[in-house]
């Protein structure tokens, strides 16, 4: 009897397909962890971005650029992690 907790697409997978699915979901979990780490760094950088934008001359705003980069990376890793982890019924897979 098939496991009814699984989605209909996942009930008849071969062992190799199950392994590939698990790898994809583990990579999605890793990307979500990287997303949250980037968000923490970006939150801390926000404290110095205002000072950098106020006191740095011209286009020389390295902290603001670093803050923008970490926000972009957090968005990328968050969306990719959610996409890779879709279909998982577990909160954490480890």
């Amino acid at each position: 009897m098939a496991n009814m907790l699984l989605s209909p697409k996942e009930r008849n997978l071969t062992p190799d397909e199950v392994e590939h699915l698990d790898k994809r979901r583990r990579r999605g979990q890793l990307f979500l962890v990287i997303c949250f780490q980037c968000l923490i760094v970006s939150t801390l950088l926000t404290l110095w971005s205002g000072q950098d934008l106020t006191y740095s001359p011209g286009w020389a705003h390295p902290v603001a650029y670093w803050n923008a980069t970490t926000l972009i990376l957090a968005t990328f890793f968050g969306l990719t992690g959610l996409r890779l982890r879709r279909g998982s019924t577990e909160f954490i897979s480890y």
Side-chain angles (χ1 to χ4, degrees):
M1 187 167 141
N3 184 353
M4 300 309 284
L5 295 175
L6 296 174
S7 67
K9 294 186 290 188
E10 297 175 5
R11 289 183 189 156
N12 299 318
L13 296 178
T14 65
D16 289 335
E17 291 172 333
V18 170
E19 184 178 339
H20 179 69
L21 182 66
D22 287 342
K23 283 183 183 179
R24 178 182 63 104
R25 288 181 176 161
R26 282 193 303 269
R27 183 167 292 131
Q29 182 68 32
L30 171 70
F31 279 9
L32 288 176
V33 169
I34 293 172
C35 166
F36 288 125
Q37 289 176 343
C38 285
L39 283 175
I40 290 168
V41 170
S42 182
T43 302
L44 293 173
L45 285 174
T46 302
L47 300 172
W48 292 288
S49 290
Q51 183 179 2
D52 183 47
L53 290 170
T54 303
Y55 295 117
S56 294
W59 287 93
H61 304 293
V63 177
Y65 298 143
W66 192 22
N67 193 6
T69 302
T70 56
L71 276 174
I72 291 169
L73 285 174
T75 304
F76 169 75
F77 282 118
L79 292 176
T80 305
L82 287 175
R83 185 180 57 82
L84 289 175
R85 210 154 134 66
R86 76 179 180 277
S88 179
T89 57
E90 301 172 348
F91 180 68
I92 295 178
S93 64
Y94 302 111

